[in-house]
């Protein structure tokens, strides 16, 4: 009886770990394929390319105007990060500290953009942007990316602010700190770790945000991920390897920030579920 | 009592006003476009009120996209959930989860475009996947996994499974391990502990996980184009919306498709949440005294 | 359910119980035999291995060495669900999605008890813990004390041969704790079960247990009846646990049987040899309330009064000796601050231990 139990247990565990292993191995191999291909000269009917080269990177850089694309990407991402902090953190503070009529409505408004897929609201939003003349411009891309980012910052920050004891602020007031100095000397240092975590997550998510940028960007306001999409979409035109080189550049940009982010946040936060929302 | 005092008593003071800029911006960028899209959808090019909707449901080219999307999103989401639950139940006992979690976060952060690009190489006829299977003698000729329904299915599995798994794991780890231990000391073996203790506590969370994963899968766009068969079996609803907007420049029709997309997806989510409403939904951490 | 004991057994025997967590040995060979019907308290500071021991007995932690026997049956290889013990967890571990009634009936359901009998036994258990009016509530709607009662009822309703309790009262407030203490002892007596009770509170152990097992660093320090442990702790650690909090270094001047005359440099005291002392030096342990002002003629310590507080009926004071020892004492009349007092104690309350004890 016991021995049978243990055997079934072992079998079940082995099956599950094999499944996980299979998934992880394929995932890593899939990523490795892109990297290997980007460094290979010719890769046909063999396990590895015939020889190694760096020339695809030079080719990709000039063919896809990666200099401009990267610059645009960083401008967009930086603007989105800064603006979502400016709008998101004060809102999170108010929602964490006050109960007011309409609070539930405000929370609903902040939750919805995270629950509705970007394509659904991205298309009407792109329509409005194009009609107001912002469509295709960098400003339009930034505005569109704020829609999921601000709620994200708010939802990450609310629990963080709630766990800061309000008596600390009261104490600062008792000792004569005005609103400005309270913010500068008391709140800012306390909030900094949470703000940084939230912004790093926004940063990683914005670099990878395809749909909204895709729907609102014009030729001069493409970010890296959208440029990559167009390159893959029109893959007959360019050498596969230079597209792969571009993919590796995109991957490195994302991974560097992901690794930085992972030093400060729990990986599950990238999935974007504020704790205990269920 | 002053006006200010009365407002403060209801919770409105300077701090409360801090919420206004964010709310205003979202009204402008989210609510307004949504309403505008709704308004636009009732003003089709032909002038009739319901022309766009009639066109959508009358033309199989549009109508079928709902079915095509469902046929992809529902099985993938359910499969992901079915895989994620037993694995999460195992992984929670693992002391070094972080490495596995970090690896799984990769496809989420890299995004669907990169995964599709990788799939074109990896699952292609000359890719490592087919080669390995042929080396093992499992297949005779390279398998065609991309440019098809299977390709999109796999891409949704690759980006969707980690998402589903991490959400499930966060619910699973939220359950006090003492509850399962209590079940064991009361005579319940592993399968009955799962059925009577874990599952009832997990179901509400799994319903939420299902909804969020389904929303992701339902709005699939880049991989349906890049590794799918975008003119037939993977012509998902977001492709239809995109084409209406940016190929036909018919914003009214595009908004209509987007709204129908939102409505059909909300119908599934609503159903899942409705079922969830029938379940126990309190804390799963063992009530603290 | 009456006073019917669980499946009959005579003794539970722990034989060299060991449990390692990596390099850390939480249990270093625990030997103990528990008779049926006994109430045993495992007492010790946090990290002494008492909860580990309980989890090993329950089967929630596998042993890394040793064995557990129920009479002649070896049970440490069984899974927890096959052992049939009842357990009360520190945070109760009630199933939050089940009502009190269904929580209590869980074990019977798992054992496939027919419905009418199940209902009858659950009703009896609910009555026993006096929760008749709360039985349809979910745990989240109940107070800590009520949840505690449900947890106890759930553990005992299956009439287990052995009930394990892991600091069950630590989440309750002081008043409720004393009330529940009596309740636990009453249920133990009423059902005739065997109970192992883990606690770090010596008062709880003293008031509840038939025998107390004091653990320290994964080993048993002393086993004995509460009054025995209280009067004659065999070890300095145990003495400290029993409230002998004042420690003083001393030199042995004379021996008369087990009564020693000791010199402390700030005066002399008489005490008893609580553990064999080989050398000349000893460590004394005494309770703060055993030291009191005495007449010049009897053995005493001299110290200057630093603080006095009235605690009702008598005074509690703190005095400092010339060499700096802090001496707590009690007095019937208010001593003056700065006054030098002669403080003495009943020799049977002054325990002498070897200076360094293994």
């Amino acid at each position: 009886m016991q021995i049978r139990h243990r055997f079934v247990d072992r079998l079940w565990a082995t099956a599950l770990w094999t499944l996980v292993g299979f998934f992880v191995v394929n995932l890593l191999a899939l990523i490795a394929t892109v990297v290997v291909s980007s460094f290979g000269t010719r890769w046909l009917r063999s396990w590895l390319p015939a020889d190694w080269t760096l020339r695809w990177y030079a080719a990709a850089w000039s063919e896809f105007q990666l200099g401009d694309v990267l610059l645009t990407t960083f401008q967009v991402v930086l603007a989105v990060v800064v603006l979502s902090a400016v709008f998101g953190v004060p809102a999170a503070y108010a929602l964490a500290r006050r109960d007011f009529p309409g609070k539930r409505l405000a929370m609903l408004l902040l939750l919805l953009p995270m629950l509705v897929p970007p394509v659904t609201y991205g298309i009407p939003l792109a329509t409005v942007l194009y009609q107001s003349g912002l469509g295709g411009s960098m400003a339009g891309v930034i505005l569109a990316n704020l829609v999921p980012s601000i709620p994200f910052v708010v939802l990450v920050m609310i629990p963080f602010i709630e766990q800061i004891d309000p008596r600390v602020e009261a104490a600062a007031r008792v000792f004569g700190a005005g609103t400005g100095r309270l913010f500068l000397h008391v709140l800012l240092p306390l909030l900094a770790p949470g703000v940084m975590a939230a912004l790093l997550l926004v940063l990683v998510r914005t670099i990878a945000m395809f749909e909204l940028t895709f729907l609102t960007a014009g030729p001069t306001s493409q970010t890296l991920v959208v440029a990559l999409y167009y390159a893959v979409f029109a893959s007959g035109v360019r050498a596969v390897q230079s597209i792969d080189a571009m993919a590796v550049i995109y991957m490195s940009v994302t991974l560097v920030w992901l690794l930085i982010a992972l030093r400060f946040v729990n990986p599950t936060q990238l999935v974007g579920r504020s704790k205990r929302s269920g | 009592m002053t006006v200010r005092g009365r407002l403060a008593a209801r919770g409105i003071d300077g701090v409360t006003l801090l919420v206004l800029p964010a709310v205003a911006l979202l009204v402008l960028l989210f609510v307004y476009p949504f309403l505008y899209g709704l308004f636009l959808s009732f003003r089709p090019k032909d002038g009739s009120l319901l022309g766009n909707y009639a066109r959508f449901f009358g033309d199989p080219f549009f109508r079928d996209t709902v079915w095509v999307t469902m046929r992809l999103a529902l099985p993938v989401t359910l499969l992901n959930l079915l895989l994620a639950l037993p694995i999460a139940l195992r992984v929670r006992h693992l002391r070094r989860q972080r490495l596995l979690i970090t690896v799984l976060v990769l496809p989420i952060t890299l995004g669907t475009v990169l995964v599709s690009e990788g799939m074109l190489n990896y699952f292609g006829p000359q890719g490592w996947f087919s080669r390995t299977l042929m080396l093992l003698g499992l297949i005779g000729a390279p398998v065609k996994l991309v440019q098809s329904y299977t390709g999109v299915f796999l891409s949704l599995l690759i980006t969707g499974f980690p998402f589903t798994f991490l959400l499930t794991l966060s619910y699973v780890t939220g359950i006090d391990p003492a509850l399962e231990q209590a079940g064991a000391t009361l005579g319940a073996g592993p399968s009955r502990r799962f059925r009577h203790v874990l599952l009832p506590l997990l179901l509400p969370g799994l319903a939420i996980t299902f909804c969020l994963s389904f929303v992701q899968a339902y709005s699939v766009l880049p991989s349906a184009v890049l590794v799918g068969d975008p003119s037939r079996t993977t012509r998902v609803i977001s492709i239809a919306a995109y084409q209406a907007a940016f190929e036909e420049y018919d914003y009214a029709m595009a908004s209509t498709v987007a709204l129908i997309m939102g409505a059909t997806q909300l119908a599934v989510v609503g159903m899942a949440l409705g079922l969830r409403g029938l379940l126990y939904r309190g804390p799963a951490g063992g009530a603290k005294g | 359910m009456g006073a019917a004991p669980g499946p009959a057994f005579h003794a539970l025997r722990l034989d060299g119980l060991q449990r390692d967590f990596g390099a850390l040995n939480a249990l270093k060979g625990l030997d103990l035999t528990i008779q049926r019907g006994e109430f045993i308290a495992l007492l010790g500071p946090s990290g002494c291995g008492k909860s580990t021991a309980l989890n090993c007995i329950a089967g929630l932690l596998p042993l890394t060495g040793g064995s557990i026997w129920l009479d002649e049956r070896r049970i440490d290889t069984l899974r927890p669900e096959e052992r049939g013990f009842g357990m009360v967890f520190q945070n109760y571990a009630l199933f939050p999605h089940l009502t009190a009634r269904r929580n209590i009936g869980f074990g019977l359901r798992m054992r496939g008890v027919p419905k009418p009998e199940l209902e009858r036994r659950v009703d009896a258990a609910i009555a026993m813990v006096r929760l008749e009016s709360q039985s349809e509530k979910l745990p989240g709607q109940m107070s800590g004390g009520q949840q505690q009662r449900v947890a106890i009822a759930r553990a005992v309703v299956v009439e287990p041969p052995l009930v394990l309790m892991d600091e069950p009262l630590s989440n309750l407030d002081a008043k409720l704790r004393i009330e529940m203490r009596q309740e636990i002892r009453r249920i133990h007596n009423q059902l005739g079960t065997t109970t192992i009770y883990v606690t770090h509170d010596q008062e709880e152990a003293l008031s509840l247990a038939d025998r107390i097992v004091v653990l320290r660093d994964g080993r048993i320090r002393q086993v004995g009846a509460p009054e025995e442990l209280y009067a004659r702790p065999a070890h300095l650690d145990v003495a400290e646990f029993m409230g002998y909090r004042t420690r003083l270094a001393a030199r042995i001047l004379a021996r008369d049987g087990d009564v020693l005359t000791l010199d402390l440099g700030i005066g002399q005291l008489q005490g008893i040899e609580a553990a064999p002392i080989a050398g000349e030096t000893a460590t004394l342990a005494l309770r703060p309330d055993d030291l009191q002002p005495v007449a010049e003629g009897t053995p005493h310590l001299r110290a200057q009064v630093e603080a006095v507080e009235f605690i009702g009926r008598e005074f509690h004071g703190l005095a400092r000796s010339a060499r700096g020892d802090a001496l707590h004492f009690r007095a019937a009349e208010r001593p003056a601050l700065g006054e030098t007092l002669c403080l003495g104690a009943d020799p049977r309350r002054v325990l002498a231990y070897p200076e360094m004890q293994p």
Side-chain angles (χ1 to χ4, degrees):
Chain A
M1 190 59 179
Q2 286 168 44
I3 292 170
R4 199 179 64 85
H5 268 318
R6 238 140 261 188
F7 179 71
V8 172
D9 233 31
R10 194 68 54 81
L11 201 69
W12 179 233
T14 314
L16 287 178
W17 288 128
T18 312
L19 208 63
V20 174
F22 183 74
F23 185 87
V24 168
V25 164
N26 276 291
L27 175 67
L28 295 177
L30 189 151
I31 293 170
T33 317
V34 179
V35 179
V36 168
S37 167
S38 75
F39 289 108
T41 49
R42 264 169 55 85
W43 190 7
L44 289 167
R45 295 174 211 294
S46 58
W47 285 94
L48 288 173
D51 205 355
W52 305 99
T53 176
L54 282 173
R55 76 183 148 93
W56 301 116
Y57 285 86
W61 194 269
S62 59
E63 276 177 54
F64 301 114
Q65 287 101 41
L66 282 189
D68 294 340
V69 173
L70 277 172
L71 186 65
T72 312
T73 307
F74 288 129
Q75 285 170 332
V76 167
V77 169
L78 188 72
V80 170
V81 164
V82 170
L83 287 174
S84 37
V86 168
F87 283 93
V89 176
Y93 186 76
L95 288 166
R97 284 284 190 255
R98 293 287 186 277
D99 266 319
F100 51 90
K103 180 174 173 174
R104 291 173 67 92
L105 196 68
M107 282 302 287
L108 183 69
L109 178 65
L110 288 165
L111 270 169
L112 268 180
M114 299 200 57
L115 295 178
V116 180
V119 177
T120 331
Y121 63 86
I123 287 188
L125 176 60
T127 310
V128 170
L129 288 175
Y130 273 103
Q131 289 193 341
S132 61
L134 286 170
S137 71
M138 197 191 284
V141 173
I142 293 167
L143 285 177
N145 273 292
L146 285 178
V147 176
S149 301
I150 292 175
F152 186 82
V153 169
V154 173
L155 292 186
V156 172
M157 288 303 295
I158 285 179
F160 187 85
I161 295 170
E162 276 172 346
Q163 51 97 36
I164 296 176
D165 193 339
R167 280 172 295 186
V168 174
E169 293 154 42
R173 288 225 184 261
V174 170
F175 288 116
T179 307
R181 287 207 290 170
L182 176 74
F183 179 75
L184 204 64
H185 296 292
V186 181
L187 276 181
L188 205 59
L190 284 173
L191 292 179
V195 174
M196 185 157 89
L199 293 187
L200 277 169
L201 291 170
V202 166
L203 192 148
V204 174
R205 288 164 58 105
T206 309
I207 294 178
M209 168 50 79
F210 171 75
E211 284 88 351
L212 285 175
T213 314
F214 177 65
L215 293 175
T216 52
T220 56
S221 53
Q222 284 175 15
T223 62
L224 197 48
V225 68
V226 174
L228 180 63
Y229 172 84
Y230 280 120
V232 181
F233 183 67
S235 58
V237 185
R238 320 264 184 211
V240 176
Q241 290 95 324
S242 67
I243 299 172
D244 286 327
M246 180 171 171
V248 170
I249 293 173
Y250 165 73
M251 233 189 310
S252 339
V253 171
T254 317
L255 287 184
V256 165
W257 285 106
L258 177 65
L259 288 178
I260 295 174
L262 286 178
R263 287 183 61 90
F264 299 98
V265 299
N266 184 332
T268 45
Q269 279 184 296
L270 277 161
V271 180
R273 174 177 169 255
S274 62
K275 263 226 167 303
R276 294 263 161 266
S277 67
Chain B
M1 214 183 200
T2 62
V3 175
R4 178 186 276 238
R6 241 176 294 158
L7 284 175
R10 300 192 62 189
I12 300 174
D13 60 7
V15 170
T16 319
L17 296 180
L18 292 174
V19 83
L20 284 182
V23 167
L25 197 70
L26 282 172
V27 167
L28 196 69
L29 294 175
F30 182 74
V31 179
Y32 169 69
F34 225 104
L35 295 177
Y36 182 73
L38 191 65
F39 166 75
L40 215 54
S41 75
F42 290 111
R43 305 203 49 192
K45 283 180 172 167
D46 65 11
S48 64
L49 190 65
L50 292 171
N52 279 330
Y53 292 91
R55 187 175 161 212
F56 187 95
F57 292 106
D59 184 352
F61 190 61
F62 280 111
R63 189 181 55 213
D64 290 353
T65 55
V66 175
W67 165 241
V68 164
T69 319
M70 285 285 177
R71 207 170 66 104
L72 264 172
L74 268 180
V76 166
T77 309
L78 288 175
L79 179 66
N80 277 337
L81 207 56
L82 227 58
L83 290 175
L85 181 59
I87 294 174
L89 286 173
R90 278 278 154 189
V91 168
R92 99 193 125 133
H93 296 303
L94 221 60
R95 243 171 292 170
R96 296 174 58 89
Q97 300 172 358
R98 213 178 156 95
L99 182 67
L100 178 66
I101 290 174
T102 307
V103 171
L104 289 179
V105 159
L106 275 183
I108 302 178
T109 33
L110 291 178
T112 41
V113 177
L114 189 107
V115 169
S116 304
E117 154 70 356
M119 282 178 64
L120 286 174
N121 287 331
Y122 182 68
F123 289 118
Q126 288 298 318
W128 282 345
F129 188 77
S130 274
R131 281 185 170 279
T132 308
L133 291 187
M134 280 163 76
L135 189 74
L136 296 174
L138 293 173
I139 51 169
V143 278
K144 184 173 188 277
L145 291 174
V146 285
Q147 256 79 54
S148 66
Y149 174 86
T150 321
V152 185
F153 192 94
L154 284 174
S155 92
L156 287 175
L157 197 70
I158 291 168
T159 46
F161 171 74
F163 181 85
T164 313
F165 171 79
L166 291 179
L167 275 183
T168 310
L169 186 66
S170 74
Y171 282 107
V172 164
T173 49
I175 292 182
D176 184 353
L179 293 179
E180 231 196 316
Q181 296 182 339
T185 60
L186 289 166
S191 61
R192 292 209 284 180
R193 289 204 292 273
F194 176 74
R195 211 174 70 221
H196 294 289
V197 180
L198 290 177
L199 195 60
L201 292 175
L202 278 175
L203 271 178
L206 292 181
I208 296 275
T209 308
F210 169 84
C211 290
L212 293 178
S213 308
F214 177 77
V215 166
Q216 298 247 320
Y218 198 78
S219 62
V220 54
L221 176 61
S223 60
V225 175
L226 299 180
V227 293
D229 166 22
S231 57
R232 294 187 314 117
T233 53
T234 69
R235 187 170 188 275
V236 293
I237 194 161
S238 49
I239 294 183
Y242 174 76
Q243 285 176 344
F246 295 98
E247 289 172 14
E248 298 171 23
Y249 298 103
D250 184 348
Y251 292 122
M253 189 62 203
S255 297
T256 311
V257 179
L259 287 170
I260 290 172
M261 178 179 173
T264 44
Q265 159 227 318
L266 276 178
V268 173
V269 168
M271 227 157 7
L273 291 180
L275 288 175
R276 178 177 179 264
L278 305 175
L279 306 165
Y280 166 81
R281 272 174 315 179
K288 293 265 148 55
Chain C
M1 111 177 91
F9 76 103
H10 296 291
L12 175 86
R13 190 155 57 83
L14 311 180
D15 189 3
L17 242 52
Q18 280 183 32
R19 173 67 206 190
D20 306 334
F21 295 101
L24 175 82
N25 308 323
L27 283 182
K28 302 168 186 165
L30 201 69
D31 296 305
L32 185 68
T33 302
I34 295 164
Q35 303 299 327
R36 179 169 146 204
E38 267 193 304
F39 197 120
I40 298 284
L42 293 184
L43 176 66
S46 56
C48 71
K50 55 190 192 300
S51 285
T52 307
L54 199 73
N55 283 327
C56 286
I57 299 170
L60 298 173
L61 269 179
L63 293 175
T64 43
S67 52
I68 305 173
W69 301 80
L70 207 55
D71 293 333
E72 293 313 308
R73 198 159 72 99
R74 184 169 174 175
I75 61 161
D76 55 277
T77 51
L78 297 181
R79 294 161 159 243
E81 59 266 28
E82 293 160 341
R83 297 191 191 189
F85 298 160
M87 182 148 175
V88 179
F89 292 80
Q90 186 168 9
N91 58 1
Y92 322 135
L94 296 179
F95 304 124
H97 59 299
L98 301 180
T99 59
R101 163 173 287 276
R102 308 225 336 137
N103 259 289
I104 295 171
F106 191 89
L108 296 172
R109 251 168 87 208
M110 291 302 122
R111 283 166 174 72
V113 173
K115 188 129 183 102
E117 188 193 340
L118 184 143
E119 294 298 330
R120 189 174 50 74
R121 285 169 70 177
V122 169
D123 280 333
I126 290 172
M128 182 186 68
V129 294
R130 300 167 187 156
L131 278 177
E132 290 90 342
S133 58
Q134 314 285 330
S135 66
E136 295 306 325
K137 283 191 180 171
L138 290 174
Q141 302 163 324
M142 306 176 89
S143 71
Q146 291 168 340
Q147 292 185 37
Q148 175 66 71
R149 289 162 196 268
V150 175
I152 293 171
R154 184 177 70 172
V156 299
V157 72
V158 296
E159 298 177 6
L162 186 64
V163 177
L164 307 168
M165 298 197 179
D166 189 3
E167 309 218 22
L169 303 184
S170 59
N171 286 340
L172 301 179
D173 62 51
K175 188 164 158 278
L176 206 52
R177 216 152 43 209
I178 292 174
E179 197 184 308
M180 284 308 299
R181 206 154 82 187
Q182 292 161 350
E183 200 75 358
I184 287 174
R185 184 69 216 201
R186 177 179 68 81
I187 291 167
H188 170 86
N189 292 346
Q190 189 181 334
L191 300 181
T193 49
T194 312
T195 305
I196 303 182
Y197 185 103
V198 160
T199 178
H200 63 269
D201 180 340
Q202 94 275 13
E203 217 183 289
E204 235 171 78
L206 289 170
S207 69
L208 275 171
D210 297 320
R211 277 200 299 160
I212 297 176
V213 177
V214 182
L215 288 177
R216 182 107 189 183
D217 298 332
R219 281 183 222 281
I220 293 181
R221 274 285 201 243
Q222 193 175 1
V223 182
E227 47 283 20
E228 192 182 328
L229 252 71
Y230 187 80
R232 289 295 289 270
H235 197 285
L236 201 52
D237 292 337
V238 182
E240 193 172 352
F241 231 103
M242 291 295 145
Y244 296 80
R245 293 216 179 80
T246 305
R247 282 190 187 199
L248 296 165
R251 205 161 52 79
I252 299 170
L253 293 177
R255 287 171 189 266
D256 177 15
D258 66 352
V259 178
L260 310 173
T261 305
L262 302 138
D263 176 43
L264 287 87
I266 50 170
Q268 293 185 0
L269 281 182
Q270 281 195 319
I272 52 172
E273 190 174 7
I277 303 172
E280 288 273 280
T281 50
T283 302
L284 301 188
L286 23 100
R287 297 169 160 279
D289 50 358
D290 284 336
L291 213 55
Q292 46 189 315
V294 291
E296 288 270 354
T298 52
H300 64 261
L301 308 174
R302 298 180 71 81
Q304 207 176 15
V305 178
E306 266 190 9
V308 177
E309 60 187 17
F310 181 58
I311 53 167
R313 209 161 64 87
E314 56 185 10
F315 296 88
H316 179 221
L318 172 68
R320 180 106 24 209
S321 73
R323 68 174 191 191
D325 307 280
L327 300 175
H328 293 272
F329 66 94
R330 67 187 168 87
E333 283 158 34
R334 183 184 281 273
L337 285 181
E339 179 188 1
T340 300
L341 287 181
C342 301
L343 297 171
D346 179 344
R348 279 168 308 164
R349 300 300 216 156
V350 180
L351 306 180
Y353 295 93
E355 207 177 10
M356 297 291 281
Q357 217 175 353

